[in-house]
Amino acid sequence: MLEILNTLSKSSEPLQHAVIFLFNGAEENILQASHGFITQHEWAKSIRAFINLEAAGVGGKELVFQTGPENPWLVQAYVVAAKHPFASVVAQEIFQSGIIPADTDFRIYRDFGNVPGMFSEDLFCVSAFLIGDNILAVLKYLATSDKLAKSFEYRHGNVVFFDVLGLFVVAYPARVGTIMNYITAATAFLYLSKKLLQPKTRAIHNLKNFFTAFGLTLASWVCTLVTVLLVAVFVSVIGRSLSWYTHFYVSVFLYGTAAVAKLVLVHTLAKKFFYKNTNEQYLGDTFFDASLMIWSLALAMITRMGLCSAFICMLWVAFPLLAKLMIHKEFICHDVHAGNVCSLSVYDVS
């Protein structure tokens, strides 16, 4: 903040709006300083938007955790201006759910000042330079924006937003996301129903194998979750809690290998006891369909709950299904004498 203040003070570029730099104390004591400022200071009523900065001090990228409430123009400002974008609506919804036992000045400005803003978590050790670039660019954009003067006129709905490999941010209205999600889920259900119920003579056999694969897939996920939790308990028991906190790749190795090993074990046992003489192509297709059904159901339910994070399920359904449809081959034979058309698909052969 000091460096940004120094840079702005030396810049010849005029700003359309004033900028207040607020250095709060007493954050860990129920956020007293921010509460005192937003409820009592004479400048508080003139504030139209804020950028709330946090520092975890563990290394990594700066991440935009929260925006709003509503005010999609704030997300658009970040999309347009940020030089090193790293943002996700998933982080926002997880933080707002209360699962993470933490609080920030963002809530104080939002609830007591009714001011829209952006909450940026600076993982300080590595990214001080990167967040400086980002915040300076976004701050200049906001300070020269016509929307800032009438920010309350632009409150209309939520936004789905996420970055793609830190290269750029995808953002679109939540109502558009809802339509996309339901269309994707409906397409997947249509694909599965058409596939499983054709041909009719094998429908019961197909459904039996499908639901077996569905149950085994869910069981493998539950076993994986239990394994990861057991590893976490073991790490805590030996007094090494959060020992991986400053080294993200250690956590991936510690928990990722346990998760993968459990998944492989469950599916290996399933193949040995449930699918001894089953064609591998048919087996792969069956488990693909089971996973597709699980994510499609999750997509429909999360969208119904009104969560923007449903976009993850949408991507996990849309792209695999699209790839499957593109590479899928059907062999069509025409019975000239009978005048009928019949099709034989690779997934019908076991």
Side-chain angles (χ1 to χ4, degrees):
M1 288 175 66
L2 287 173
E3 185 60 28
I4 292 172
L5 178 58
N6 180 51
T7 301
L8 288 178
S9 67
K10 296 179 179 179
S11 175
S12 59
E13 181 182 357
L15 299 178
Q16 185 176 338
H17 308 284
V19 180
I20 299 172
F21 288 79
L22 180 61
F23 296 83
N24 287 329
E27 183 193 24
E28 306 303 333
N29 193 20
I30 324 178
L31 308 169
Q32 289 181 343
S34 58
H35 183 271
F37 175 82
I38 204 66
T39 57
Q40 300 179 37
H41 201 282
E42 58 182 342
W43 293 349
K45 294 182 179 180
S46 65
I47 296 176
R48 294 292 175 265
F50 68 89
I51 301 176
N52 181 41
L53 302 182
E54 288 283 345
V58 298
K61 291 185 177 181
E62 164 251 347
L63 172 65
V64 171
F65 262 81
Q66 288 180 273
T67 62
E70 299 184 327
N71 289 275
W73 66 276
L74 276 173
V75 177
Q76 192 60 37
Y78 183 82
V79 171
V80 173
K83 296 183 178 180
H84 312 283
F86 190 51
S88 176
V89 71
V90 177
Q92 171 175 294
E93 291 185 336
I94 290 176
F95 197 83
Q96 289 177 342
S97 70
I99 295 176
I100 300 176
D103 205 355
T104 73
D105 293 330
F106 184 97
R107 179 181 62 82
I108 301 298
Y109 300 137
R110 180 194 65 197
D111 295 350
F112 293 93
N114 197 28
V115 182
M118 184 183 302
F119 169 30
S120 177
E121 178 79 15
D122 174 16
L123 304 181
F124 184 77
C125 299
V126 175
S127 61
F129 176 77
L130 298 183
I131 192 174
D133 272 355
N134 272 358
I135 298 304
L136 179 60
V138 174
L139 184 60
K140 283 185 175 181
Y141 183 90
L142 292 176
T144 56
S145 171
D146 294 331
K147 293 181 179 180
L148 191 62
K150 301 178 180 180
S151 62
F152 289 94
E153 295 182 4
Y154 297 95
R155 287 194 171 189
H156 50 82
N158 295 315
V159 180
V160 179
F161 61 92
F162 57 93
D163 71 280
V164 178
L165 302 176
L167 300 176
F168 58 91
V169 175
V170 176
Y172 51 87
R175 60 182 180 277
V176 174
T178 298
I179 296 173
M180 292 170 55
N181 294 346
Y182 281 133
I183 290 176
T184 302
T187 303
F189 291 140
L190 180 63
Y191 164 81
L192 290 170
S193 61
K194 181 181 178 181
K195 180 176 176 180
L196 293 173
L197 299 178
Q198 296 292 333
K200 292 183 179 180
T201 55
R202 295 179 56 84
I204 296 178
H205 176 74
N206 291 339
L207 288 172
K208 179 181 178 181
N209 287 337
F210 170 77
F211 284 112
T212 301
F214 187 91
L216 288 171
T217 300
L218 286 179
S220 69
W221 291 4
V222 172
C223 291
T224 300
L225 176 61
V226 171
T227 301
V228 170
L229 291 176
L230 289 175
V231 172
V233 171
F234 175 75
V235 171
S236 299
V237 168
I238 65 175
R240 302 295 295 174
S241 299
L242 297 179
S243 57
W244 45 266
Y245 192 55
T246 56
H247 303 285
F248 174 74
Y249 296 106
V250 174
S251 66
V252 174
F253 175 79
L254 184 63
Y255 296 103
T257 53
V260 171
K262 180 59 69 172
L263 283 173
V264 172
L265 175 62
V266 172
H267 282 277
T268 300
L269 294 175
K271 185 176 181 181
K272 180 177 180 180
F273 293 103
F274 291 94
Y275 303 98
K276 291 182 179 180
N277 300 314
T278 305
N279 178 275
E280 291 189 359
Q281 176 66 45
Y282 177 79
L283 186 60
D285 284 345
T286 302
F287 274 88
F288 172 86
D289 294 342
S291 295
L292 188 67
M293 175 60 82
I294 291 172
W295 288 118
S296 298
L297 290 172
L299 173 60
M301 289 188 294
I302 296 175
T303 303
R304 180 68 180 83
M305 293 168 62
L307 297 177
C308 295
S309 300
F311 83 88
I312 292 183
C313 297
M314 187 272 291
L315 295 177
W316 287 350
V317 170
F319 284 103
L321 180 58
L322 181 61
K324 191 71 172 178
L325 293 174
M326 289 178 64
I327 66 175
H328 180 66
K329 297 180 180 180
E330 288 191 335
F331 302 95
I332 301 178
C333 64
H334 297 266
D335 188 340
V336 179
H337 300 287
N340 296 324
V341 178
C342 61
S343 64
L344 175 64
S345 304
V346 294
Y347 50 75
D348 291 332
V349 182
S350 62

